PDB file of all heavy atoms in Angstrom:
ATOM      1  N   ASN A   1      72.684  -9.723-108.293  1.00  0.00           N
ATOM      2  CA  ASN A   1      72.568  -9.932-109.735  1.00  0.00           C
ATOM      3  C   ASN A   1      72.866 -11.394-110.016  1.00  0.00           C
ATOM      4  O   ASN A   1      73.794 -11.958-109.442  1.00  0.00           O
ATOM      5  CB  ASN A   1      73.568  -9.081-110.525  1.00  0.00           C
ATOM      6  CG  ASN A   1      73.249  -7.617-110.474  1.00  0.00           C
ATOM      7  OD1 ASN A   1      72.111  -7.213-110.329  1.00  0.00           O
ATOM      8  ND2 ASN A   1      74.269  -6.798-110.589  1.00  0.00           N
ATOM      9  N   GLU A   2      72.091 -11.988-110.913  1.00  0.00           N
ATOM     10  CA  GLU A   2      72.324 -13.367-111.314  1.00  0.00           C
ATOM     11  C   GLU A   2      72.842 -13.349-112.753  1.00  0.00           C
ATOM     12  O   GLU A   2      72.307 -12.651-113.607  1.00  0.00           O
ATOM     13  CB  GLU A   2      71.016 -14.148-111.223  1.00  0.00           C
ATOM     14  CG  GLU A   2      71.199 -15.625-111.176  1.00  0.00           C
ATOM     15  CD  GLU A   2      69.924 -16.354-110.824  1.00  0.00           C
ATOM     16  OE1 GLU A   2      69.433 -16.183-109.689  1.00  0.00           O
ATOM     17  OE2 GLU A   2      69.430 -17.091-111.691  1.00  0.00           O
ATOM     18  N   TYR A   3      73.893 -14.123-112.993  1.00  0.00           N
ATOM     19  CA  TYR A   3      74.565 -14.173-114.296  1.00  0.00           C
ATOM     20  C   TYR A   3      74.656 -15.608-114.775  1.00  0.00           C
ATOM     21  O   TYR A   3      74.615 -16.542-113.976  1.00  0.00           O
ATOM     22  CB  TYR A   3      76.001 -13.636-114.183  1.00  0.00           C
ATOM     23  CG  TYR A   3      76.112 -12.181-113.854  1.00  0.00           C
ATOM     24  CD1 TYR A   3      76.124 -11.756-112.535  1.00  0.00           C
ATOM     25  CD2 TYR A   3      76.232 -11.227-114.861  1.00  0.00           C
ATOM     26  CE1 TYR A   3      76.242 -10.409-112.226  1.00  0.00           C
ATOM     27  CE2 TYR A   3      76.355  -9.879-114.555  1.00  0.00           C
ATOM     28  CZ  TYR A   3      76.362  -9.483-113.239  1.00  0.00           C
ATOM     29  OH  TYR A   3      76.487  -8.149-112.934  1.00  0.00           O
ATOM     30  N   VAL A   4      74.830 -15.777-116.084  1.00  0.00           N
ATOM     31  CA  VAL A   4      75.080 -17.098-116.651  1.00  0.00           C
ATOM     32  C   VAL A   4      76.354 -17.035-117.496  1.00  0.00           C
ATOM     33  O   VAL A   4      76.632 -16.026-118.154  1.00  0.00           O
ATOM     34  CB  VAL A   4      73.890 -17.609-117.487  1.00  0.00           C
ATOM     35  CG1 VAL A   4      73.650 -16.759-118.725  1.00  0.00           C
ATOM     36  CG2 VAL A   4      74.078 -19.066-117.867  1.00  0.00           C
ATOM     37  N   ASP A   5      77.105 -18.106-117.445  1.00  0.00           N
ATOM     38  CA  ASP A   5      78.263 -18.285-118.315  1.00  0.00           C
ATOM     39  C   ASP A   5      77.754 -19.029-119.541  1.00  0.00           C
ATOM     40  O   ASP A   5      77.401 -20.209-119.464  1.00  0.00           O
ATOM     41  CB  ASP A   5      79.338 -19.098-117.592  1.00  0.00           C
ATOM     42  CG  ASP A   5      80.593 -19.310-118.409  1.00  0.00           C
ATOM     43  OD1 ASP A   5      80.503 -19.351-119.665  1.00  0.00           O
ATOM     44  OD2 ASP A   5      81.666 -19.452-117.810  1.00  0.00           O
ATOM     45  N   ASP A   6      77.678 -18.341-120.679  1.00  0.00           N
ATOM     46  CA  ASP A   6      77.117 -18.955-121.884  1.00  0.00           C
ATOM     47  C   ASP A   6      77.953 -20.122-122.397  1.00  0.00           C
ATOM     48  O   ASP A   6      77.431 -20.998-123.070  1.00  0.00           O
ATOM     49  CB  ASP A   6      76.941 -17.910-122.984  1.00  0.00           C
ATOM     50  CG  ASP A   6      75.779 -16.963-122.707  1.00  0.00           C
ATOM     51  OD1 ASP A   6      74.769 -17.419-122.123  1.00  0.00           O
ATOM     52  OD2 ASP A   6      75.875 -15.787-123.074  1.00  0.00           O
ATOM     53  N   LYS A   7      79.219 -20.154-122.070  1.00  0.00           N
ATOM     54  CA  LYS A   7      80.080 -21.261-122.520  1.00  0.00           C
ATOM     55  C   LYS A   7      79.835 -22.528-121.715  1.00  0.00           C
ATOM     56  O   LYS A   7      79.761 -23.619-122.266  1.00  0.00           O
ATOM     57  CB  LYS A   7      81.549 -20.872-122.434  1.00  0.00           C
ATOM     58  CG  LYS A   7      81.938 -19.828-123.451  1.00  0.00           C
ATOM     59  CD  LYS A   7      83.406 -19.501-123.348  1.00  0.00           C
ATOM     60  CE  LYS A   7      83.760 -18.424-124.360  1.00  0.00           C
ATOM     61  NZ  LYS A   7      85.161 -18.035-124.275  1.00  0.00           N
ATOM     62  N   SER A   8      79.709 -22.406-120.393  1.00  0.00           N
ATOM     63  CA  SER A   8      79.566 -23.589-119.540  1.00  0.00           C
ATOM     64  C   SER A   8      78.126 -23.849-119.108  1.00  0.00           C
ATOM     65  O   SER A   8      77.794 -24.963-118.714  1.00  0.00           O
ATOM     66  CB  SER A   8      80.434 -23.442-118.290  1.00  0.00           C
ATOM     67  OG  SER A   8      79.895 -22.448-117.435  1.00  0.00           O
ATOM     68  N   GLY A   9      77.289 -22.803-119.110  1.00  0.00           N
ATOM     69  CA  GLY A   9      75.925 -22.929-118.612  1.00  0.00           C
ATOM     70  C   GLY A   9      75.804 -22.715-117.117  1.00  0.00           C
ATOM     71  O   GLY A   9      74.708 -22.744-116.565  1.00  0.00           O
ATOM     72  N   ASP A  10      76.928 -22.505-116.420  1.00  0.00           N
ATOM     73  CA  ASP A  10      76.902 -22.279-114.974  1.00  0.00           C
ATOM     74  C   ASP A  10      76.223 -20.952-114.649  1.00  0.00           C
ATOM     75  O   ASP A  10      76.353 -19.980-115.391  1.00  0.00           O
ATOM     76  CB  ASP A  10      78.313 -22.256-114.396  1.00  0.00           C
ATOM     77  CG  ASP A  10      79.028 -23.595-114.506  1.00  0.00           C
ATOM     78  OD1 ASP A  10      78.343 -24.631-114.578  1.00  0.00           O
ATOM     79  OD2 ASP A  10      80.262 -23.598-114.511  1.00  0.00           O
ATOM     80  N   VAL A  11      75.508 -20.922-113.521  1.00  0.00           N
ATOM     81  CA  VAL A  11      74.822 -19.709-113.066  1.00  0.00           C
ATOM     82  C   VAL A  11      75.555 -19.185-111.830  1.00  0.00           C
ATOM     83  O   VAL A  11      75.913 -19.948-110.929  1.00  0.00           O
ATOM     84  CB  VAL A  11      73.338 -19.994-112.756  1.00  0.00           C
ATOM     85  CG1 VAL A  11      72.637 -18.736-112.257  1.00  0.00           C
ATOM     86  CG2 VAL A  11      72.641 -20.524-114.007  1.00  0.00           C
ATOM     87  N   TRP A  12      75.765 -17.868-111.810  1.00  0.00           N
ATOM     88  CA  TRP A  12      76.539 -17.195-110.763  1.00  0.00           C
ATOM     89  C   TRP A  12      75.692 -16.125-110.097  1.00  0.00           C
ATOM     90  O   TRP A  12      74.836 -15.507-110.734  1.00  0.00           O
ATOM     91  CB  TRP A  12      77.764 -16.533-111.378  1.00  0.00           C
ATOM     92  CG  TRP A  12      78.738 -17.501-111.961  1.00  0.00           C
ATOM     93  CD1 TRP A  12      78.651 -18.135-113.174  1.00  0.00           C
ATOM     94  CD2 TRP A  12      79.949 -17.948-111.366  1.00  0.00           C
ATOM     95  NE1 TRP A  12      79.729 -18.949-113.366  1.00  0.00           N
ATOM     96  CE2 TRP A  12      80.550 -18.850-112.271  1.00  0.00           C
ATOM     97  CE3 TRP A  12      80.587 -17.678-110.164  1.00  0.00           C
ATOM     98  CZ2 TRP A  12      81.753 -19.474-111.992  1.00  0.00           C
ATOM     99  CZ3 TRP A  12      81.790 -18.297-109.900  1.00  0.00           C
ATOM    100  CH2 TRP A  12      82.359 -19.191-110.805  1.00  0.00           C
ATOM    101  N   LEU A  13      75.947 -15.872-108.815  1.00  0.00           N
ATOM    102  CA  LEU A  13      75.254 -14.835-108.056  1.00  0.00           C
ATOM    103  C   LEU A  13      76.266 -13.819-107.548  1.00  0.00           C
ATOM    104  O   LEU A  13      77.238 -14.185-106.884  1.00  0.00           O
ATOM    105  CB  LEU A  13      74.512 -15.443-106.857  1.00  0.00           C
ATOM    106  CG  LEU A  13      73.722 -14.444-106.024  1.00  0.00           C
ATOM    107  CD1 LEU A  13      72.491 -13.970-106.792  1.00  0.00           C
ATOM    108  CD2 LEU A  13      73.320 -15.059-104.697  1.00  0.00           C
ATOM    109  N   LEU A  14      76.035 -12.547-107.864  1.00  0.00           N
ATOM    110  CA  LEU A  14      76.839 -11.445-107.333  1.00  0.00           C
ATOM    111  C   LEU A  14      76.041 -10.818-106.200  1.00  0.00           C
ATOM    112  O   LEU A  14      74.874 -10.448-106.379  1.00  0.00           O
ATOM    113  CB  LEU A  14      77.109 -10.396-108.414  1.00  0.00           C
ATOM    114  CG  LEU A  14      77.917  -9.186-107.943  1.00  0.00           C
ATOM    115  CD1 LEU A  14      79.397  -9.554-107.840  1.00  0.00           C
ATOM    116  CD2 LEU A  14      77.735  -8.015-108.892  1.00  0.00           C
ATOM    117  N   ASP A  15      76.673 -10.719-105.028  1.00  0.00           N
ATOM    118  CA  ASP A  15      76.005 -10.102-103.882  1.00  0.00           C
ATOM    119  C   ASP A  15      77.013  -9.314-103.057  1.00  0.00           C
ATOM    120  O   ASP A  15      78.191  -9.228-103.398  1.00  0.00           O
ATOM    121  CB  ASP A  15      75.269 -11.141-103.031  1.00  0.00           C
ATOM    122  CG  ASP A  15      76.181 -12.198-102.416  1.00  0.00           C
ATOM    123  OD1 ASP A  15      77.419 -12.147-102.609  1.00  0.00           O
ATOM    124  OD2 ASP A  15      75.663 -13.094-101.732  1.00  0.00           O
ATOM    125  N   TYR A  16      76.512  -8.707-101.991  1.00  0.00           N
ATOM    126  CA  TYR A  16      77.324  -7.905-101.067  1.00  0.00           C
ATOM    127  C   TYR A  16      77.042  -8.452 -99.674  1.00  0.00           C
ATOM    128  O   TYR A  16      76.132  -8.006 -98.987  1.00  0.00           O
ATOM    129  CB  TYR A  16      76.953  -6.426-101.197  1.00  0.00           C
ATOM    130  CG  TYR A  16      77.275  -5.888-102.577  1.00  0.00           C
ATOM    131  CD1 TYR A  16      76.401  -6.078-103.645  1.00  0.00           C
ATOM    132  CD2 TYR A  16      78.471  -5.241-102.812  1.00  0.00           C
ATOM    133  CE1 TYR A  16      76.720  -5.616-104.912  1.00  0.00           C
ATOM    134  CE2 TYR A  16      78.797  -4.772-104.080  1.00  0.00           C
ATOM    135  CZ  TYR A  16      77.912  -4.965-105.123  1.00  0.00           C
ATOM    136  OH  TYR A  16      78.240  -4.521-106.379  1.00  0.00           O
ATOM    137  N   PRO A  17      77.816  -9.471 -99.236  1.00  0.00           N
ATOM    138  CA  PRO A  17      77.439 -10.285 -98.087  1.00  0.00           C
ATOM    139  C   PRO A  17      77.829  -9.759 -96.705  1.00  0.00           C
ATOM    140  O   PRO A  17      77.611 -10.466 -95.721  1.00  0.00           O
ATOM    141  CB  PRO A  17      78.168 -11.600 -98.364  1.00  0.00           C
ATOM    142  CG  PRO A  17      79.416 -11.159 -99.059  1.00  0.00           C
ATOM    143  CD  PRO A  17      78.978 -10.001 -99.931  1.00  0.00           C
ATOM    144  N   ASP A  18      78.381  -8.572 -96.604  1.00  0.00           N
ATOM    145  CA  ASP A  18      78.844  -8.077 -95.308  1.00  0.00           C
ATOM    146  C   ASP A  18      77.965  -6.925 -94.825  1.00  0.00           C
ATOM    147  O   ASP A  18      78.324  -5.756 -94.946  1.00  0.00           O
ATOM    148  CB  ASP A  18      80.305  -7.626 -95.405  1.00  0.00           C
ATOM    149  CG  ASP A  18      81.230  -8.770 -95.801  1.00  0.00           C
ATOM    150  OD1 ASP A  18      81.025  -9.890 -95.296  1.00  0.00           O
ATOM    151  OD2 ASP A  18      82.140  -8.546 -96.611  1.00  0.00           O
ATOM    152  N   PRO A  19      76.802  -7.234 -94.236  1.00  0.00           N
ATOM    153  CA  PRO A  19      75.852  -6.180 -93.854  1.00  0.00           C
ATOM    154  C   PRO A  19      76.386  -5.215 -92.805  1.00  0.00           C
ATOM    155  O   PRO A  19      75.911  -4.087 -92.710  1.00  0.00           O
ATOM    156  CB  PRO A  19      74.640  -6.959 -93.330  1.00  0.00           C
ATOM    157  CG  PRO A  19      75.177  -8.289 -92.943  1.00  0.00           C
ATOM    158  CD  PRO A  19      76.340  -8.554 -93.863  1.00  0.00           C
ATOM    159  N   GLU A  20      77.379  -5.632 -92.025  1.00  0.00           N
ATOM    160  CA  GLU A  20      77.927  -4.728 -91.009  1.00  0.00           C
ATOM    161  C   GLU A  20      78.845  -3.665 -91.611  1.00  0.00           C
ATOM    162  O   GLU A  20      79.216  -2.709 -90.942  1.00  0.00           O
ATOM    163  CB  GLU A  20      78.666  -5.519 -89.923  1.00  0.00           C
ATOM    164  CG  GLU A  20      79.927  -6.225 -90.375  1.00  0.00           C
ATOM    165  CD  GLU A  20      79.695  -7.553 -91.100  1.00  0.00           C
ATOM    166  OE1 GLU A  20      78.557  -8.063 -91.137  1.00  0.00           O
ATOM    167  OE2 GLU A  20      80.679  -8.077 -91.638  1.00  0.00           O
ATOM    168  N   THR A  21      79.198  -3.820 -92.899  1.00  0.00           N
ATOM    169  CA  THR A  21      80.064  -2.879 -93.600  1.00  0.00           C
ATOM    170  C   THR A  21      79.208  -1.959 -94.477  1.00  0.00           C
ATOM    171  O   THR A  21      78.245  -2.420 -95.095  1.00  0.00           O
ATOM    172  CB  THR A  21      81.067  -3.641 -94.493  1.00  0.00           C
ATOM    173  OG1 THR A  21      81.778  -4.570 -93.675  1.00  0.00           O
ATOM    174  CG2 THR A  21      82.040  -2.729 -95.164  1.00  0.00           C
ATOM    175  N   HIS A  22      79.562  -0.691 -94.554  1.00  0.00           N
ATOM    176  CA  HIS A  22      78.829   0.264 -95.380  1.00  0.00           C
ATOM    177  C   HIS A  22      78.700  -0.258 -96.806  1.00  0.00           C
ATOM    178  O   HIS A  22      79.682  -0.666 -97.420  1.00  0.00           O
ATOM    179  CB  HIS A  22      79.550   1.619 -95.380  1.00  0.00           C
ATOM    180  CG  HIS A  22      78.861   2.642 -96.224  1.00  0.00           C
ATOM    181  ND1 HIS A  22      77.684   3.231 -95.838  1.00  0.00           N
ATOM    182  CD2 HIS A  22      79.168   3.149 -97.436  1.00  0.00           C
ATOM    183  CE1 HIS A  22      77.306   4.079 -96.781  1.00  0.00           C
ATOM    184  NE2 HIS A  22      78.190   4.044 -97.756  1.00  0.00           N
ATOM    185  N   GLY A  23      77.479  -0.278 -97.333  1.00  0.00           N
ATOM    186  CA  GLY A  23      77.240  -0.734 -98.702  1.00  0.00           C
ATOM    187  C   GLY A  23      77.343  -2.237 -98.880  1.00  0.00           C
ATOM    188  O   GLY A  23      77.343  -2.733 -99.990  1.00  0.00           O
ATOM    189  N   GLY A  24      77.442  -2.985 -97.788  1.00  0.00           N
ATOM    190  CA  GLY A  24      77.517  -4.433 -97.881  1.00  0.00           C
ATOM    191  C   GLY A  24      78.911  -4.974 -98.098  1.00  0.00           C
ATOM    192  O   GLY A  24      79.102  -6.157 -98.310  1.00  0.00           O
ATOM    193  N   GLY A  25      79.898  -4.077 -98.074  1.00  0.00           N
ATOM    194  CA  GLY A  25      81.279  -4.518 -98.244  1.00  0.00           C
ATOM    195  C   GLY A  25      81.612  -4.811 -99.694  1.00  0.00           C
ATOM    196  O   GLY A  25      80.861  -4.489-100.603  1.00  0.00           O
ATOM    197  N   PRO A  26      82.762  -5.446 -99.931  1.00  0.00           N
ATOM    198  CA  PRO A  26      83.163  -5.743-101.303  1.00  0.00           C
ATOM    199  C   PRO A  26      82.235  -6.788-101.930  1.00  0.00           C
ATOM    200  O   PRO A  26      81.699  -7.648-101.229  1.00  0.00           O
ATOM    201  CB  PRO A  26      84.585  -6.289-101.166  1.00  0.00           C
ATOM    202  CG  PRO A  26      84.755  -6.644 -99.749  1.00  0.00           C
ATOM    203  CD  PRO A  26      83.755  -5.868 -98.956  1.00  0.00           C
ATOM    204  N   PRO A  27      82.047  -6.708-103.241  1.00  0.00           N
ATOM    205  CA  PRO A  27      81.168  -7.672-103.903  1.00  0.00           C
ATOM    206  C   PRO A  27      81.764  -9.076-103.852  1.00  0.00           C
ATOM    207  O   PRO A  27      82.976  -9.264-103.772  1.00  0.00           O
ATOM    208  CB  PRO A  27      81.092  -7.169-105.342  1.00  0.00           C
ATOM    209  CG  PRO A  27      82.332  -6.389-105.536  1.00  0.00           C
ATOM    210  CD  PRO A  27      82.659  -5.782-104.199  1.00  0.00           C
ATOM    211  N   ARG A  28      80.858 -10.050-103.905  1.00  0.00           N
ATOM    212  CA  ARG A  28      81.250 -11.459-103.963  1.00  0.00           C
ATOM    213  C   ARG A  28      80.471 -12.086-105.116  1.00  0.00           C
ATOM    214  O   ARG A  28      79.282 -11.810-105.296  1.00  0.00           O
ATOM    215  CB  ARG A  28      80.872 -12.153-102.660  1.00  0.00           C
ATOM    216  CG  ARG A  28      80.980 -13.676-102.722  1.00  0.00           C
ATOM    217  CD  ARG A  28      80.549 -14.332-101.438  1.00  0.00           C
ATOM    218  NE  ARG A  28      79.108 -14.167-101.215  1.00  0.00           N
ATOM    219  CZ  ARG A  28      78.448 -14.714-100.198  1.00  0.00           C
ATOM    220  NH1 ARG A  28      79.079 -15.422 -99.300  1.00  0.00           N
ATOM    221  NH2 ARG A  28      77.152 -14.506-100.067  1.00  0.00           N
ATOM    222  N   ILE A  29      81.119 -12.926-105.893  1.00  0.00           N
ATOM    223  CA  ILE A  29      80.411 -13.702-106.905  1.00  0.00           C
ATOM    224  C   ILE A  29      80.709 -15.169-106.640  1.00  0.00           C
ATOM    225  O   ILE A  29      81.841 -15.535-106.317  1.00  0.00           O
ATOM    226  CB  ILE A  29      80.770 -13.274-108.341  1.00  0.00           C
ATOM    227  CG1 ILE A  29      79.778 -13.879-109.323  1.00  0.00           C
ATOM    228  CG2 ILE A  29      82.211 -13.584-108.687  1.00  0.00           C
ATOM    229  CD1 ILE A  29      79.801 -13.273-110.705  1.00  0.00           C
ATOM    230  N   ARG A  30      79.656 -15.979-106.741  1.00  0.00           N
ATOM    231  CA  ARG A  30      79.828 -17.408-106.491  1.00  0.00           C
ATOM    232  C   ARG A  30      78.894 -18.209-107.384  1.00  0.00           C
ATOM    233  O   ARG A  30      77.817 -17.736-107.766  1.00  0.00           O
ATOM    234  CB  ARG A  30      79.577 -17.739-105.025  1.00  0.00           C
ATOM    235  CG  ARG A  30      78.231 -17.321-104.531  1.00  0.00           C
ATOM    236  CD  ARG A  30      78.171 -17.315-103.005  1.00  0.00           C
ATOM    237  NE  ARG A  30      76.992 -16.608-102.568  1.00  0.00           N
ATOM    238  CZ  ARG A  30      75.853 -17.183-102.209  1.00  0.00           C
ATOM    239  NH1 ARG A  30      75.744 -18.493-102.210  1.00  0.00           N
ATOM    240  NH2 ARG A  30      74.827 -16.454-101.826  1.00  0.00           N
ATOM    241  N   LYS A  31      79.341 -19.409-107.720  1.00  0.00           N
ATOM    242  CA  LYS A  31      78.536 -20.286-108.556  1.00  0.00           C
ATOM    243  C   LYS A  31      77.389 -20.825-107.715  1.00  0.00           C
ATOM    244  O   LYS A  31      77.605 -21.360-106.633  1.00  0.00           O
ATOM    245  CB  LYS A  31      79.385 -21.433-109.080  1.00  0.00           C
ATOM    246  CG  LYS A  31      78.720 -22.220-110.176  1.00  0.00           C
ATOM    247  CD  LYS A  31      79.525 -23.424-110.622  1.00  0.00           C
ATOM    248  CE  LYS A  31      80.912 -23.076-111.056  1.00  0.00           C
ATOM    249  NZ  LYS A  31      81.631 -24.260-111.573  1.00  0.00           N
ATOM    250  N   ILE A  32      76.149 -20.665-108.226  1.00  0.00           N
ATOM    251  CA  ILE A  32      75.002 -21.161-107.469  1.00  0.00           C
ATOM    252  C   ILE A  32      74.350 -22.364-108.134  1.00  0.00           C
ATOM    253  O   ILE A  32      73.678 -23.135-107.470  1.00  0.00           O
ATOM    254  CB  ILE A  32      73.958 -20.054-107.209  1.00  0.00           C
ATOM    255  CG1 ILE A  32      73.453 -19.443-108.499  1.00  0.00           C
ATOM    256  CG2 ILE A  32      74.524 -19.008-106.266  1.00  0.00           C
ATOM    257  CD1 ILE A  32      72.264 -18.507-108.312  1.00  0.00           C
ATOM    258  N   ARG A  33      74.538 -22.512-109.452  1.00  0.00           N
ATOM    259  CA  ARG A  33      73.992 -23.677-110.143  1.00  0.00           C
ATOM    260  C   ARG A  33      74.950 -24.104-111.236  1.00  0.00           C
ATOM    261  O   ARG A  33      75.167 -23.376-112.195  1.00  0.00           O
ATOM    262  CB  ARG A  33      72.634 -23.354-110.767  1.00  0.00           C
ATOM    263  CG  ARG A  33      71.498 -23.341-109.791  1.00  0.00           C
ATOM    264  CD  ARG A  33      70.150 -23.459-110.477  1.00  0.00           C
ATOM    265  NE  ARG A  33      69.963 -22.552-111.581  1.00  0.00           N
ATOM    266  CZ  ARG A  33      69.380 -21.358-111.495  1.00  0.00           C
ATOM    267  NH1 ARG A  33      68.934 -20.921-110.356  1.00  0.00           N
ATOM    268  NH2 ARG A  33      69.243 -20.602-112.561  1.00  0.00           N
ATOM    269  N   PRO A  34      75.507 -25.292-111.105  1.00  0.00           N
ATOM    270  CA  PRO A  34      76.343 -25.789-112.201  1.00  0.00           C
ATOM    271  C   PRO A  34      75.479 -26.180-113.402  1.00  0.00           C
ATOM    272  O   PRO A  34      74.273 -26.393-113.269  1.00  0.00           O
ATOM    273  CB  PRO A  34      77.042 -26.994-111.617  1.00  0.00           C
ATOM    274  CG  PRO A  34      76.355 -27.338-110.364  1.00  0.00           C
ATOM    275  CD  PRO A  34      75.502 -26.170-109.970  1.00  0.00           C
ATOM    276  N   LYS A  35      76.099 -26.266-114.539  1.00  0.00           N
ATOM    277  CA  LYS A  35      75.428 -26.645-115.780  1.00  0.00           C
ATOM    278  C   LYS A  35      74.578 -27.894-115.575  1.00  0.00           C
ATOM    279  O   LYS A  35      75.019 -28.855-114.969  1.00  0.00           O
ATOM    280  CB  LYS A  35      76.492 -26.898-116.853  1.00  0.00           C
ATOM    281  CG  LYS A  35      75.928 -27.328-118.180  1.00  0.00           C
ATOM    282  CD  LYS A  35      77.051 -27.572-119.144  1.00  0.00           C
ATOM    283  CE  LYS A  35      76.516 -28.063-120.446  1.00  0.00           C
ATOM    284  NZ  LYS A  35      77.571 -28.302-121.410  1.00  0.00           N
ATOM    285  N   GLY A  36      73.345 -27.826-116.088  1.00  0.00           N
ATOM    286  CA  GLY A  36      72.472 -28.990-116.066  1.00  0.00           C
ATOM    287  C   GLY A  36      71.810 -29.297-114.741  1.00  0.00           C
ATOM    288  O   GLY A  36      71.248 -30.364-114.563  1.00  0.00           O
ATOM    289  N   SER A  37      71.824 -28.369-113.793  1.00  0.00           N
ATOM    290  CA  SER A  37      71.270 -28.682-112.472  1.00  0.00           C
ATOM    291  C   SER A  37      69.919 -28.016-112.221  1.00  0.00           C
ATOM    292  O   SER A  37      69.575 -27.737-111.093  1.00  0.00           O
ATOM    293  CB  SER A  37      72.247 -28.274-111.381  1.00  0.00           C
ATOM    294  OG  SER A  37      72.352 -26.872-111.350  1.00  0.00           O
ATOM    295  N   GLY A  38      69.180 -27.728-113.244  1.00  0.00           N
ATOM    296  CA  GLY A  38      67.859 -27.123-113.013  1.00  0.00           C
ATOM    297  C   GLY A  38      67.526 -26.080-114.048  1.00  0.00           C
ATOM    298  O   GLY A  38      68.228 -25.901-115.032  1.00  0.00           O
ATOM    299  N   ASP A  39      66.420 -25.421-113.808  1.00  0.00           N
ATOM    300  CA  ASP A  39      65.915 -24.414-114.746  1.00  0.00           C
ATOM    301  C   ASP A  39      66.821 -23.208-114.802  1.00  0.00           C
ATOM    302  O   ASP A  39      67.323 -22.750-113.809  1.00  0.00           O
ATOM    303  CB  ASP A  39      64.524 -23.949-114.334  1.00  0.00           C
ATOM    304  CG  ASP A  39      63.509 -25.084-114.378  1.00  0.00           C
ATOM    305  OD1 ASP A  39      63.839 -26.166-114.891  1.00  0.00           O
ATOM    306  OD2 ASP A  39      62.399 -24.859-113.896  1.00  0.00           O
ATOM    307  N   ARG A  40      67.014 -22.708-116.006  1.00  0.00           N
ATOM    308  CA  ARG A  40      67.740 -21.444-116.221  1.00  0.00           C
ATOM    309  C   ARG A  40      66.817 -20.518-116.977  1.00  0.00           C
ATOM    310  O   ARG A  40      66.032 -20.964-117.804  1.00  0.00           O
ATOM    311  CB  ARG A  40      69.014 -21.685-117.035  1.00  0.00           C
ATOM    312  CG  ARG A  40      70.153 -22.016-116.163  1.00  0.00           C
ATOM    313  CD  ARG A  40      71.421 -22.112-116.990  1.00  0.00           C
ATOM    314  NE  ARG A  40      71.978 -23.419-116.709  1.00  0.00           N
ATOM    315  CZ  ARG A  40      71.878 -24.468-117.493  1.00  0.00           C
ATOM    316  NH1 ARG A  40      71.306 -24.406-118.639  1.00  0.00           N
ATOM    317  NH2 ARG A  40      72.398 -25.607-117.144  1.00  0.00           N
ATOM    318  N   GLN A  41      66.928 -19.262-116.714  1.00  0.00           N
ATOM    319  CA  GLN A  41      66.080 -18.276-117.395  1.00  0.00           C
ATOM    320  C   GLN A  41      66.817 -17.663-118.546  1.00  0.00           C
ATOM    321  O   GLN A  41      67.979 -17.552-118.597  1.00  0.00           O
ATOM    322  CB  GLN A  41      65.651 -17.198-116.429  1.00  0.00           C
ATOM    323  CG  GLN A  41      64.828 -17.791-115.322  1.00  0.00           C
ATOM    324  CD  GLN A  41      64.444 -16.741-114.302  1.00  0.00           C
ATOM    325  OE1 GLN A  41      64.934 -15.617-114.310  1.00  0.00           O
ATOM    326  NE2 GLN A  41      63.585 -17.110-113.393  1.00  0.00           N
TER     327      GLN A  41
END
C-alpha cells in the first residue's frame, strides 16, 4: 500500500518484506519519496 502524509507531502510504502515468514512477516512502512521529489498521485 502506498500512503501520503498530507501535512508533509512525504510518500510512504507499507509492505511485508519477509517472504520466508508466513504472510510475509510483520508489516514494514518506510518513506519512499520525500516532499517535492517527484510526481504524487
Side-chain angles (χ1 to χ4, degrees):
N1 291 332
E2 199 169 295
Y3 294 88
V4 65
D5 181 331
D6 287 326
K7 290 181 181 178
S8 70
D10 295 335
V11 179
W12 295 79
L13 182 71
L14 179 78
D15 62 1
Y16 296 82
D18 299 320
E20 67 280 351
T21 305
H22 179 73
R28 168 182 68 176
I29 193 165
R30 57 196 166 98
K31 192 184 304 184
I32 58 171
R33 282 198 311 266
K35 179 181 177 180
S37 68
D39 297 351
R40 272 186 235 101
Q41 298 177 350

